[in-house]
Amino acid sequence: MIKIIAKILSYLFHPLLMATWFVLFLMLTNPFSFAGMPTNIAIAVVFINTFMFPAIAILLMKKLGFIESLEMPDHKQRIIPLIATIIFYVWAYLAIKKINYPFMMGVFMMGTLASLFMAFLANAFFKISLHTVGISGVLAATLLLVMISPVDIGYYFIGIILLTGAIASARLYLGAHTIKEVYIGFIVGLLGQFIGLILYHA
């Protein structure tokens, strides 16, 4: 049962889905910040560019033999998929800037790009946990949102802290990563968002 739960958490909170989860979270907690923007368009732009396109590219890489499995247990096999993901995320960031998404969505995407670049560099040496990079990015962005949100979202922040621990534990339980890989992923995700905040203001 624990293994099943760990797998569900890993699939449900896949790194490529983090941007979609965050835009949904923004709509839940600060719906007024999307005033004048059709909800379906706001979600579709993020989902298509940050999940669908990278996922299709990775599936094609597997079909063509560039990677052996979708889990990519060898960190060297992650090089090309990470490059492709970075390209799609740059595209997504530009689309979000052009459509004038809420401030925090822009910060989150810039932070995600910073995290992806750091993860790419770390990947040259070991298999960093992209799951913890993703969820800790959401955690850091939520912390920033707590500080500027006109409504109290403290309980949501506590929930995301618990979710972060659950996802990290799931990756360890499944044997997908070592403790070092999980912790470094966590640090990269956090640091990326704070770098994103600085760069977005620049």
Side-chain angles (χ1 to χ4, degrees):
M1 177 60 76
I2 297 178
K3 187 175 183 179
I4 292 174
I5 294 173
K7 285 188 175 182
I8 290 173
L9 283 171
S10 295
Y11 289 129
L12 196 57
F13 297 100
H14 189 278
L16 293 179
L17 285 172
M18 287 298 103
T20 301
W21 280 122
F22 189 71
V23 75
L24 290 172
F25 178 67
L26 274 179
M27 288 180 175
L28 173 66
T29 57
N30 290 265
F32 45 83
S33 63
F34 288 87
M37 184 182 297
T39 301
N40 57 338
I41 298 297
I43 297 172
V45 169
V46 174
F47 179 76
I48 291 171
N49 287 288
T50 64
F51 177 76
M52 188 178 293
F53 284 163
I56 291 172
I58 291 170
L59 287 171
L60 285 173
M61 289 176 202
K62 184 179 183 303
K63 186 71 174 177
L64 294 172
F66 288 105
I67 57 175
E68 293 178 7
S69 72
L70 296 178
E71 287 75 20
M72 292 174 275
D74 183 357
H75 67 95
K76 293 179 182 178
Q77 289 187 27
R78 294 184 169 201
I79 295 174
I80 299 177
L82 276 171
I83 292 173
T85 300
I86 288 171
I87 292 171
F88 285 120
Y89 272 62
V90 169
W91 187 354
Y93 172 75
L94 294 175
I96 284 171
K97 286 275 286 184
K98 185 175 182 180
I99 302 175
N100 293 320
Y101 274 70
F103 168 77
M104 273 309 304
M105 194 64 207
V107 171
F108 178 77
M109 286 305 302
M110 176 61 83
T112 300
L113 277 172
S115 295
L116 278 171
F117 277 111
M118 288 188 287
F120 178 77
L121 293 174
N123 182 75
F125 305 99
F126 56 88
K127 189 180 71 169
I128 188 172
S129 173
L130 296 175
H131 277 80
T132 51
V133 170
I135 191 60
S136 65
V138 171
L139 179 65
T142 304
L143 176 59
L144 295 173
L145 187 60
V146 167
M147 298 176 183
I148 65 172
S149 177
V151 296
D152 183 12
I153 60 170
Y155 288 110
Y156 289 105
F157 180 62
I158 293 171
I160 293 174
I161 290 175
L162 296 175
L163 180 61
T164 301
I167 292 172
S169 298
R171 302 308 290 163
L172 289 172
Y173 184 84
L174 293 171
H177 294 284
T178 64
I179 292 178
K180 182 185 82 169
E181 292 165 351
V182 166
Y183 273 120
I184 292 179
F186 180 78
I187 293 169
V188 165
L190 288 179
L191 186 58
Q193 288 303 313
F194 291 108
I195 292 174
L197 179 62
I198 294 169
L199 293 179
Y200 194 74
H201 274 297

